[in-house]
Amino acid sequence: MNEDRLIQKLKQLRRLEPSGKDLQILHDKVFSRVKEEEYNSWFNLWEIIPDVFSPMRLRPAIYGVLAVLLFIILSAAVINRNNHWWQLPESLVAQIEVITASNKYEKAKVALNLSRIQLMSLKSDQGIDLDRQIEKTANALSKTNTYLASLNLMGEKGKYTNKDCLNIYKEYDQFLGELKNEIDGQTIKTSDETVKKYLQNLQTQVMEYDQQAEKRLKLY
Amino acid sequence: MDKKKQYQYFEEIYRLYSKAIYRFIYFKVSDYELARDLTADTFLRFWKTLSDGEEIRNDRTFLYLIAHGLIIDHYRKKKNINQVSFDKVVDIDERLYVTPDDTENKIDAKEEINRIFLKLKELKDEYRDVLILHYITDLEISEISIILNKKENAVRVLIHRALEHLKKRYE
């Protein structure tokens, strides 16, 4: 069979579609979650404001949003005392996701995943927003390293095993290798000296964490 | 972009890509419920990024990047890549619909599609990945290189080798 004919056969697979029922279930699942998150973010104090404060009812959405934002910022500030206020809004959702993970291992996994997604953003950046992407990568990496460093190499009963720990360190080691290569590539591409300096700092951070990870892996 | 526009934009992205993402994930995991769950997770992650105000340069590439990452995570959790069960779903049935073409015999078309589907599943993962991404989802080499984290030349070589292996299965 020649190659063109084979490619035509492969393209036939584009005609496969999920059933109407599966599509409906999928649609409901996605949009119910999206609407739920949107509803939660616009939580309205309407129901609990007593009559004496009835003027507030005229603009419940504004007061509701302000109250929710204040609560989230205060909670995050209490939990993350070392974070600077001006960094909180940007990484808040990511931080909450890590904080609500059930144990150190799960936190480390989520943090590593977030670092991977941040690496993809760095890769797809075309040089316009690179310095911001570098900063976000450095922050994500720092958190990931902190959570990984807190893991007990022998595991914790009922939470994670020593094998889990070994595997996540291997994944982290591989991720650091990918990140190093990406930083090298970006350093060659950019002509901006300030960005080069940021990349150099990030590379130093990566190498330091890589050494730490290697030391831990050698203990196995 | 305000929230309302973000939501409308997301609806449009979902409308454009939901079937294709589902199809891509299904070809990788061969499980309808799992493909549905991972597709939902893909779009929810996309929504989270969009609603956080993050810039997304290429919607399509980003969606496939997320989907690919979720599939890898799923296999890592299972700790055994070969746990995809060929007994469970071997061929196309009523849960995967073949879009009709009035000029052809429907039974023959479904059989032909089923045949290529099974041949594709026999290939090793990285060959199957590149063929699905390039010929079925119609992604560019540059996009595939981002998703698979490989250089563009490496992707071209993989595509060539994958086609050679698939050709042998037809002989």
Side-chain angles (χ1 to χ4, degrees):
Chain A
M1 180 182 299
N2 74 30
E3 199 168 277
D4 286 341
R5 200 159 136 66
L6 188 59
I7 290 169
Q8 285 311 313
K9 283 188 181 297
L10 277 170
K11 288 183 179 177
Q12 288 290 309
L13 289 171
R14 292 180 190 178
R15 292 167 62 186
L16 289 175
E17 289 182 358
S19 69
K21 189 180 170 191
D22 277 325
L23 282 175
Q24 189 59 50
I25 294 170
L26 176 63
H27 182 273
D28 292 346
K29 191 170 183 176
V30 171
F31 284 92
S32 65
R33 279 283 300 276
V34 168
K35 283 173 185 166
E36 187 186 306
E37 282 173 23
E38 283 310 289
Y39 176 77
N40 288 340
S41 76
W42 288 95
F43 173 71
N44 200 325
L45 288 171
W46 179 266
E47 301 301 328
I48 65 168
I49 296 174
D51 287 338
V52 69
F53 294 113
S54 60
M56 280 192 192
R57 286 176 179 253
L58 295 172
R59 288 176 289 171
I62 295 167
Y63 289 108
V65 166
L66 285 173
V68 166
L69 278 175
L70 194 60
F71 175 75
I72 288 170
I73 288 167
L74 284 173
S75 305
V78 166
I79 293 162
N80 295 280
R81 290 178 191 86
N82 295 328
N83 275 339
H84 296 293
W85 284 84
W86 55 88
Q87 286 178 2
L88 281 173
E90 205 175 297
S91 62
L92 202 50
V93 175
Q95 286 186 44
I96 289 170
E97 203 175 12
V98 171
I99 287 159
T100 55
S102 56
N103 61 53
K104 281 186 273 189
Y105 172 70
E106 294 299 328
K107 284 183 201 292
K109 265 174 49 177
V110 172
L112 181 55
N113 228 25
L114 291 171
S115 289
R116 280 197 194 103
I117 293 178
Q118 183 50 44
L119 172 57
M120 305 306 179
S121 298
L122 185 66
K123 278 181 180 176
S124 60
D125 188 276
Q126 308 249 337
I128 297 164
D129 203 18
L130 193 53
D131 49 347
R132 188 164 162 260
Q133 292 300 337
I134 293 167
E135 188 190 357
K136 286 169 82 171
T137 305
N139 290 339
L141 184 63
S142 172
K143 282 188 179 59
T144 304
N145 199 66
T146 303
Y147 284 116
L148 277 161
S150 72
L151 293 178
N152 186 337
L153 294 178
M154 300 316 294
E156 288 181 38
K157 197 176 176 182
K159 294 178 185 175
Y160 59 96
T161 63
N162 58 345
K163 232 182 178 180
D164 288 330
C165 198
L166 171 63
N167 286 339
I168 199 172
Y169 257 99
K170 281 183 180 173
E171 288 171 33
Y172 181 50
D173 192 45
Q174 191 185 3
F175 164 75
L176 287 173
E178 286 174 28
L179 180 53
K180 254 191 243 173
N181 291 340
E182 181 58 27
I183 295 167
D184 285 338
Q186 293 280 9
T187 306
I188 292 167
K189 271 196 284 188
T190 187
S191 54
D192 186 328
E193 288 303 316
T194 308
V195 169
K196 275 190 199 284
K197 195 178 170 189
Y198 291 150
L199 285 165
Q200 195 180 356
N201 289 342
L202 182 58
Q203 192 69 292
T204 305
Q205 184 183 359
V206 169
M207 284 167 67
E208 188 188 338
Y209 292 161
D210 195 27
Q211 277 179 359
Q212 291 172 15
E214 303 263 53
K215 271 187 196 162
R216 293 204 110 193
L217 278 169
K218 277 182 185 153
L219 292 171
Y220 277 100
Chain B
M1 206 190 281
D2 66 25
K3 277 291 174 193
K4 191 178 174 185
K5 282 190 179 146
Q6 278 178 351
Y7 187 81
Q8 286 170 344
Y9 186 73
F10 178 72
E11 281 186 311
E12 184 59 18
I13 293 294
Y14 182 87
R15 188 188 68 79
L16 285 170
Y17 297 117
S18 54
K19 288 180 189 173
I21 294 288
Y22 178 98
R23 185 167 47 228
F24 166 67
I25 295 175
Y26 177 76
F27 284 160
K28 292 284 291 170
V29 305
S30 296
D31 181 306
Y32 293 120
E33 274 75 30
L34 180 60
R36 208 174 55 209
D37 289 346
L38 292 179
T39 305
D41 287 346
T42 300
F43 281 95
L44 287 169
R45 290 232 178 154
F46 184 94
W47 166 250
K48 193 176 256 194
T49 305
L50 183 68
S51 62
D52 281 353
E54 306 260 4
E55 193 183 347
I56 299 169
R57 292 186 190 280
N58 185 320
D59 300 317
R60 186 172 72 163
T61 308
F62 191 54
L63 276 169
Y64 280 103
L65 198 55
I66 298 171
H68 189 249
L70 288 172
I71 292 167
I72 291 174
D73 285 346
H74 170 72
Y75 284 145
R76 281 205 181 107
K77 278 178 200 166
K78 286 173 80 101
K79 289 175 186 168
N80 182 354
I81 280 179
N82 296 318
Q83 277 184 16
V84 169
S85 167
F86 283 90
D87 295 337
K88 206 172 174 187
V89 179
V90 179
D91 60 4
I92 299 157
D93 61 19
E94 68 279 0
R95 284 183 73 175
L96 268 182
Y97 170 70
V98 177
T99 54
D101 178 339
D102 290 334
T103 62
E104 69 187 1
N105 178 300
K106 283 175 187 167
I107 294 168
D108 287 346
K110 193 165 177 179
E111 271 177 17
E112 189 57 44
I113 288 171
N114 197 29
R115 198 167 166 229
I116 186 77
F117 181 68
L118 292 173
K119 296 284 177 208
L120 191 63
K121 284 177 70 166
E122 288 170 20
L123 297 178
K124 67 177 186 176
D125 279 354
E126 58 177 0
Y127 290 160
R128 193 164 66 244
D129 277 351
V130 290
L131 291 182
I132 291 169
L133 288 169
H134 193 51
Y135 294 113
I136 302 170
T137 60
D138 206 24
L139 293 179
E140 304 285 343
I141 303 283
S142 56
E143 292 175 289
I144 298 171
S145 78
I146 293 172
I147 292 163
L148 299 182
N149 193 30
K150 290 183 190 296
K151 295 196 168 124
E152 290 188 19
N153 276 339
V155 172
R156 285 191 191 90
V157 167
L158 264 180
I159 289 172
H160 173 75
R161 284 184 188 158
L163 283 172
E164 289 298 314
H165 276 79
L166 188 61
K167 217 188 288 183
K168 280 180 191 159
R169 278 168 167 70
Y170 263 96
E171 282 160 9

